[in-house]
Amino acid sequence: MKRLILAIIILFTANSLISAQEGGDERIRRQLEGRGLKFSMTTTNDFKMQYETTDGRTQLIFINSKTEKYKNFEVREIWSPAYKFTDQVPAIVANRLLSNSYDKILGGWQTHTFGGSKLASFAVKAAAELEVEDLINIIESVVKTADAMEKELSGADDL
C-alpha cells in the first residue's frame, strides 16, 4: 500500500512539473482562460498579453510563471515594459522613473534585459495565488502605469 501511495505521489508530481513546463503556471492559465483573455506563451513559459488601453494604444504585459518564495510567502512578477535603452538609462529618465515609483501604492520601476533588449519596466510582485479580480486589477494597474510612462517618455506605442 505504501508503495502504491508513493507511486501515485511521484506520478502526480511529475505530471505537475511537465504541465508547468509545457504551459506555464496552471493557476494563471485557468484564470486567464476563465475570463476569456487572450495570451501567448514566451519561450520561458511566461504569459504574454497585448492589452488595449482606453485611448486606442496597446501595451504588452507579462505574467511570470516562475514564482519566488520568502519563508511561506510565494510571489510572482507581473510586469510591462515602457522604455527601451541601449547602454544605460539616461539620468533624466532614471530620475523620472524613481520619482514615479514613489507615488505608486503597488509596484515600482526596474531595469532588465529581455529578449536581447534592455528595458525599463513597471512591475508588481504579488502573491502567487490571487483571486481572479485581484489579478485583473493588478494587470490593469501595471498596464496603465507602463503605458502612461511610455507615452510620456517617447510618445511611441511600440512596447
Side-chain angles (χ1 to χ4, degrees):
M1 183 66 170
K2 287 181 183 179
R3 286 184 182 176
L4 177 61
I5 292 172
L6 182 59
I8 290 170
I9 291 171
I10 290 170
L11 285 173
F12 178 76
T13 303
N15 188 35
S16 296
L17 290 173
I18 290 168
S19 174
Q21 291 171 351
E22 290 178 354
D25 189 319
E26 191 60 34
R27 297 171 289 188
I28 296 298
R29 177 178 289 282
R30 277 193 308 269
Q31 289 179 321
L32 296 177
E33 288 176 346
R35 281 300 180 97
L37 297 173
K38 294 180 183 175
F39 61 88
S40 60
M41 301 304 293
T42 67
T43 57
T44 56
N45 284 322
D46 295 324
F47 297 87
K48 177 182 177 182
M49 301 167 59
Q50 184 167 341
Y51 199 93
E52 293 185 25
T53 65
T54 55
D55 61 354
R57 294 171 53 87
T58 59
Q59 188 67 32
L60 291 176
I61 185 157
F62 298 87
I63 304 170
N64 291 358
S65 285
K66 182 181 176 197
T67 61
E68 302 288 335
K69 280 192 171 185
Y70 177 75
K71 297 189 180 186
N72 292 331
F73 190 59
E74 184 184 13
V75 297
R76 85 173 63 252
E77 191 173 70
I78 301 167
W79 62 277
S80 183
Y83 185 77
K84 237 185 228 188
F85 59 97
T86 51
D87 187 28
Q88 292 184 5
V89 177
I92 194 164
V93 172
N95 286 331
R96 177 66 186 112
L97 298 176
L98 282 171
S99 173
N100 186 262
S101 283
Y102 179 78
D103 295 332
K104 300 302 172 205
I105 296 170
L106 286 175
W109 290 97
Q110 61 187 21
T111 61
H112 57 104
T113 302
F114 181 78
S117 296
K118 291 184 177 184
L119 302 170
S121 301
F122 189 75
V124 169
K125 295 178 180 173
E129 299 246 3
L130 291 170
E131 296 293 326
V132 70
E133 287 302 319
D134 294 331
L135 176 63
I136 299 301
N137 288 336
I138 290 172
I139 289 170
E140 290 174 353
S141 175
V142 169
V143 163
K144 181 179 175 182
T145 301
D147 188 60
M149 187 60 70
E150 179 185 23
K151 189 174 182 179
E152 176 185 329
L153 294 176
S154 70
D157 186 22
D158 58 359
L159 295 174

